[in-house]
């Protein structure tokens, strides 16, 4: 059974409450239960932290044993060379996901330090992007 980690960064613990016009009304925990049901053939794990170091530690912890990482690093996408380096340091492939279309938002959100370290990037499709990322890692 393939093991995949979904890794969410800062402020994504507020999904369902935070800017619902951008991020929707569903909590990620509710959505994660739907993902687990949809992908019963896989072992899905979920970790969220507002701390850059905790995200890096989790990548190091699972990055040689899991079959893939779905990462939404939130604002760290645009600032963290350290998370990008952590993705490069491990063997698990990663797919970068953004709920909103980062290219239709503020200019500083147009650049990602992670994209070049990931197999692919999905942006602007809402929570559905996580499903597509998992599907890609399982194929």
């Amino acid at each position: 059974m393939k093991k995949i980690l979904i890794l969410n960064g800062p402020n994504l613990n507020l999904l369902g409450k935070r800017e619902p016009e951008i991020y929707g009304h569903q909590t990620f925990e509710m959505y994660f239960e739907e993902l687990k049901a949809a992908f019963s053939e896989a072992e899905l794990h979920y970790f969220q932290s507002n701390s850059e170091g905790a995200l890096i530690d989790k990548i190091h912890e699972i990055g040689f044993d899991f079959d893939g990482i779905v990462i939404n690093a939130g604002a760290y996408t645009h600032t963290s060379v350290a998370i990008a380096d952590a993705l490069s340091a491990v063997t698990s492939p990663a797919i970068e996901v953004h709920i909103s279309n980062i290219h239709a938002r503020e200019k500083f959100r147009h650049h990602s330090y992670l994209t070049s370290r990931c197999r692919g990037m999905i942006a602007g499709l809402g929570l559905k992007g996580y499903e597509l990322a998992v599907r890609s890692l399982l194929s």
Side-chain angles (χ1 to χ4, degrees):
M1 182 176 284
K2 288 190 174 185
K3 294 191 297 188
I4 295 175
L5 173 69
I6 296 175
L7 187 60
N8 274 343
N11 300 311
L12 291 165
N13 57 307
L14 297 178
L15 287 176
K17 298 176 188 172
R18 170 190 180 206
E19 301 174 278
E21 66 282 0
I22 296 174
Y23 299 104
H25 295 279
Q26 189 174 27
T27 68
F28 195 83
E29 290 75 12
M30 291 168 32
Y31 180 68
F32 185 62
E33 292 304 315
E34 292 176 21
L35 277 179
K36 288 193 300 187
F39 294 102
S40 58
E41 75 278 14
E43 189 178 313
L44 299 183
H45 297 258
Y46 175 57
F47 182 79
Q48 186 279 328
S49 180
N50 294 317
S51 168
E52 183 179 29
L55 296 170
I56 293 166
D57 288 343
K58 184 56 84 170
I59 293 167
H60 290 176
E61 176 188 326
I62 63 91
F64 295 95
D65 300 319
F66 276 46
D67 298 292
I69 300 168
V70 175
I71 183 167
N72 182 344
Y76 289 136
T77 299
H78 320 292
T79 63
S80 183
V81 173
I83 292 174
D85 286 349
L87 290 171
S88 289
V90 299
T91 56
S92 297
I95 305 283
E96 180 182 357
V97 170
H98 299 284
I99 297 167
S100 67
N101 180 351
I102 60 173
H103 300 289
R105 296 186 65 192
E106 304 93 336
K107 188 170 177 77
F108 74 88
R109 295 186 196 275
H110 298 182
H111 174 74
S112 168
Y113 283 100
L114 310 184
T115 302
S116 66
R117 315 299 170 87
C118 292
R119 181 184 286 174
M121 192 259 277
I122 300 166
L125 299 179
L127 294 176
K128 178 94 172 157
Y130 290 92
E131 176 191 336
L132 297 171
V134 169
R135 191 172 307 284
S136 174
L137 288 167
L138 291 176
S139 62

